């Protein structure tokens, strides 16, 4: 079994870089956002290429982002990269009972997924079916995720706006912001319906199709496109230059 000593060495290298007091210590979680986004897309490109060497390299660059953000948090007295790993281990153990209940042999995938969702709901106690969605992701993937979550929660498919099901490319450069405005309005309506139902005594996550229809009131889409565009895009470019120039 692999001893993973290189992982500890990578964390130690990050500590050494930090100790020099150079470019690294001037960074913040916000200034690193663009690098995290870029590296994530580069990993996806490597997956698409099918080249294992390229994927290994790009995963290393993504790992650097985890180490970097963790080191910033450590400097702020918040948590360390070891705390990040421990949190992951605890989450996996809580959501995957077969890790600790003595299970051996192949797993039933459907049962595994069901157990994961049950554990996640129990630990999060979310007020909305949309809680936990990364709202800063690109508008198309955000629309897909929001619709998926809503329909999993019993939302009637015929109430999903056509504007979220058909994306029209206008050539004016505003397709992303237009779709984002539509999905944010839809998400706001979802949350408003859930809040109204809960006020009337419906437990969180307890809306059925009839309840959704009863409490559903579509909201106008948000105005002020630039703000919406900022929420969904990478952070402003840092004066230090591109990600490739610095780290990868």
């Amino acid at each position: 079994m692999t001893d993973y000593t290189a992982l500890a060495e990578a964390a130690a290298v990050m500590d050494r870089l930090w100790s020099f007091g150079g470019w690294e210590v001037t960074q913040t979680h916000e200034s690193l956002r663009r690098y995290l986004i870029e590296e994530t897309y580069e990993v996806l490109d490597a997956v698409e290429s099918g080249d294992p060497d390229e994927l290994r390299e790009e995963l290393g660059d993504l790992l650097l982002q985890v180490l970097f953000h963790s080191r910033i948090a450590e400097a702020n007295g918040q948590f360390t990269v070891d705390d990040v790993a421990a949190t992951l281990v605890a989450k996996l153990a809580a959501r995957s009972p077969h890790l600790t209940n003595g299970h051996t042999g192949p797993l039933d995938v459907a049962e595994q997924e069901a157990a994961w969702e049950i554990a996640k709901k129990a630990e999060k106690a979310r007020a909305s079916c949309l809680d936990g969605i990364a709202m800063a992701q690109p508008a198309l993937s955000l629309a897909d995720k929001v619709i998926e979550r809503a329909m999993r929660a019993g939302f009637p498919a015929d109430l999903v706006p056509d504007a979220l099901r058909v994306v029209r490319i206008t050539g004016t450069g505003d397709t992303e912001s237009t779709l984002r405005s539509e999905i944010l309005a839809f998400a706001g309506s979802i949350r408003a319906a859930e809040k109204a139902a809960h006020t009337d005594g419906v437990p969180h996550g307890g809306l059925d199709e009839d309840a959704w229809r009863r409490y559903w009131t579509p909201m106008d889409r948000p105005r002020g496109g630039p703000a919406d565009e900022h929420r969904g895009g990478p952070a402003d470019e840092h004066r230090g230059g591109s990600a490739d120039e610095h780290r990868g």
Side-chain angles (χ1 to χ4, degrees):
M1 184 175 180
T2 305
D3 58 12
Y4 303 112
T5 54
L7 277 175
E9 185 178 357
V13 169
M14 184 72 249
D15 284 341
R16 286 195 64 206
L17 287 171
W18 191 270
S19 71
F20 292 128
W23 178 83
E24 285 76 14
V25 301
T26 69
Q27 302 308 298
T28 65
H29 295 304
E30 183 66 24
S31 72
L32 292 178
R33 281 185 58 189
R34 60 169 300 205
Y35 303 122
L36 178 59
I37 292 170
E38 289 173 3
E39 299 298 359
T40 300
Y41 278 116
E42 288 176 10
V43 168
L44 294 176
D45 282 346
V47 170
E48 184 71 21
S49 76
D51 184 337
D53 293 331
E54 182 182 352
L55 179 58
R56 182 183 67 243
E57 179 181 354
E58 297 303 341
L59 285 173
D61 290 344
L62 188 58
L63 175 60
L64 173 59
Q65 297 305 307
V66 175
L67 295 172
F68 210 154
H69 281 279
S70 299
R71 193 62 187 78
I72 290 172
E74 182 176 353
N76 292 333
Q78 296 166 333
F79 58 81
T80 69
V81 69
D82 199 55
D83 295 327
V84 172
T87 300
L88 173 61
V89 170
K91 178 185 289 187
L92 291 175
R95 297 185 185 180
S96 306
H98 53 281
L99 286 173
T100 56
N101 65 6
H103 181 89
T104 59
L107 291 171
D108 181 283
V109 175
E111 291 181 2
Q112 181 183 12
E113 290 179 344
W116 181 277
E117 289 301 324
I118 291 172
K120 184 166 67 172
K121 287 180 180 179
E123 70 187 46
K124 295 294 184 180
R126 288 171 169 162
S128 171
C129 64
L130 305 184
D131 285 353
I133 293 177
M135 301 303 288
Q137 64 185 288
L140 188 59
S141 60
L142 176 61
D144 192 49
K145 189 66 176 180
V146 168
I147 293 171
E148 176 195 356
R149 283 282 196 89
M151 294 183 67
R152 190 190 301 170
F155 187 80
D158 63 283
L159 293 183
V160 177
D162 288 342
L164 301 186
R165 294 192 177 279
V166 180
V167 178
R168 294 176 174 83
I169 310 299
T170 63
T172 59
D174 64 354
T175 303
E176 170 78 11
S177 60
T178 297
L179 179 58
R180 179 168 297 279
S181 292
E182 297 287 357
I183 195 61
L184 291 178
F186 178 66
S189 298
I190 290 284
R191 293 183 184 278
E194 291 172 320
K195 183 177 180 179
H198 187 62
T199 299
D200 287 348
V202 178
H204 292 309
L207 279 78
D208 57 18
E209 181 174 337
D210 289 340
W212 276 114
R213 294 186 186 281
R214 185 163 63 254
Y215 289 101
W216 183 246
T217 304
M219 296 172 61
D220 292 334
R221 79 183 196 179
R223 304 302 177 188
D228 291 337
E229 291 172 15
H230 180 73
R231 288 183 60 184
D236 295 336
E237 290 192 5
H238 186 268
R239 65 173 183 243
S242 72
D244 288 341
E245 290 173 342
H246 285 297
R247 295 292 179 263

